[in-house]
Amino acid sequence: GALVYQYPRRTICKSGTSMRMECQAVGFQATSVAWYRQSPQKTFELIALSTVNSAIKYEQNFTQEKFPISHPNLSFSSMTVLNAYLEDRGLYLCGARDHWGFYSDYTFGSGTRLLVI
Amino acid sequence: AQSVTQPDARVTVSEGASLQLRCKYSYFGTPYLFWYVQYPRQGLQLLLKYYPGDPVVQGVNGFEAEFSKSNSSFHLRKASVHWSDWAVYFCAASSGSFNKLTFGAGTRLAVCP
């Protein structure tokens, strides 16, 4: 079946430092990858949508300068949170799908939980 | 603007009782609709999905949902709740199979013995 692995599962970083999180798709081609953030007690906000061989599209309030994303092939994506501060804490979720598959739905990983101290 | 609204932030039911979690959407045309569940300290798991067709869709673990175009709703139902259903439930919508998924605020379900 289709699976998405995210790592690390949780991480703690000092305020002002950066951390990188990874997303691995297994069993299908991740032609599109969506990165979401769930801040404490809130819903999932889309950070950006990445499609292989296309420009990465960032949502309002999120920028490439703060959340650079790499999507180099059909099974892997990574995102870095640069200069992390308290407001960046939360659960970061990666969802991947086969863009060319009709009726293809997002498969989500278990997330990377970021704590900033 | 396209949006998904879950009017109930928290719902408490007794184990064995029936359940309905509400979801309203505001989209041009008929969106694709989804219900996801988030168990404590975990990511998202898909419960069920609606693509234009039969308005009642069946999901995993006895969940079902009914699409209503006239009410712009996609409510989730379960006939008999189990303690293991204690989780947060998210309704989500997409305007097409290639477009982004927009989530509601979530409904926290508590199950009493």
Side-chain angles (χ1 to χ4, degrees):
Chain A
L3 293 171
V4 171
Y5 295 103
Q6 285 187 254
Y7 33 90
R9 289 293 301 273
R10 57 188 303 134
T11 185
I12 301 172
C13 67
K14 288 186 177 179
S15 182
T17 64
S18 302
M19 73 81 52
R20 180 171 179 262
M21 54 191 76
E22 299 182 345
C23 175
Q24 183 84 38
V26 176
F28 68 107
Q29 295 185 118
T31 56
S32 289
V33 173
W35 286 93
Y36 286 84
R37 179 175 71 190
Q38 184 187 35
S39 300
Q41 308 303 319
K42 293 189 176 180
T43 190
F44 294 92
E45 291 180 281
L46 179 64
I47 296 171
L49 183 60
S50 170
T51 302
V52 169
N53 299 326
S54 296
I56 297 171
K57 184 179 178 186
Y58 285 83
E59 291 293 290
Q60 197 173 11
N61 300 326
F62 296 97
T63 65
Q64 182 180 6
E65 290 69 33
K66 173 72 175 177
F67 299 97
I69 290 170
S70 171
H71 186 185
N73 57 51
L74 293 175
S75 64
F76 181 83
S77 177
S78 67
M79 184 177 75
T80 301
V81 180
L82 295 175
N83 300 317
Y85 288 99
L86 193 62
E87 59 267 25
D88 295 317
R89 74 191 193 281
L91 180 69
Y92 288 81
L93 212 60
C94 164
R97 68 189 299 177
D98 183 351
H99 184 83
W100 298 315
F102 195 62
Y103 291 137
S104 176
D105 306 313
Y106 280 105
T107 298
F108 288 94
S110 295
T112 293
R113 190 166 296 279
L114 172 62
L115 180 63
V116 182
I117 57 174
Chain B
Q2 297 173 335
S3 66
V4 177
T5 302
Q6 292 179 250
D8 305 309
R10 184 181 295 265
V11 170
T12 302
V13 298
S14 299
E15 190 170 16
S18 63
L19 168 72
Q20 177 172 280
L21 301 182
R22 296 186 292 165
C23 174
K24 301 272 284 185
Y25 66 88
S26 176
Y27 266 74
F28 179 76
T30 299
Y32 294 3
L33 296 160
F34 306 81
W35 274 100
Y36 288 88
V37 60
Q38 183 184 31
Y39 296 106
R41 299 185 184 84
Q42 295 188 26
L44 289 177
Q45 297 177 33
L46 180 66
L47 278 179
L48 48 80
K49 60 188 178 187
Y50 168 80
Y51 292 145
D54 190 334
V56 178
V57 292
Q58 304 295 324
V60 298
N61 299 333
F63 285 96
E64 68 172 29
E66 183 168 4
F67 168 74
S68 170
K69 188 176 178 67
S70 59
N71 294 324
S72 297
S73 67
F74 188 57
H75 301 330
L76 181 70
R77 302 189 296 241
K78 187 171 183 178
S80 177
V81 171
H82 188 262
W83 66 266
S84 60
D85 294 324
W86 192 311
V88 182
Y89 292 79
F90 291 92
C91 182
S94 170
S95 60
S97 59
F98 301 127
N99 295 333
K100 71 175 186 180
L101 210 52
T102 298
F103 288 89
T107 297
R108 189 173 297 272
L109 173 66
V111 181
C112 298

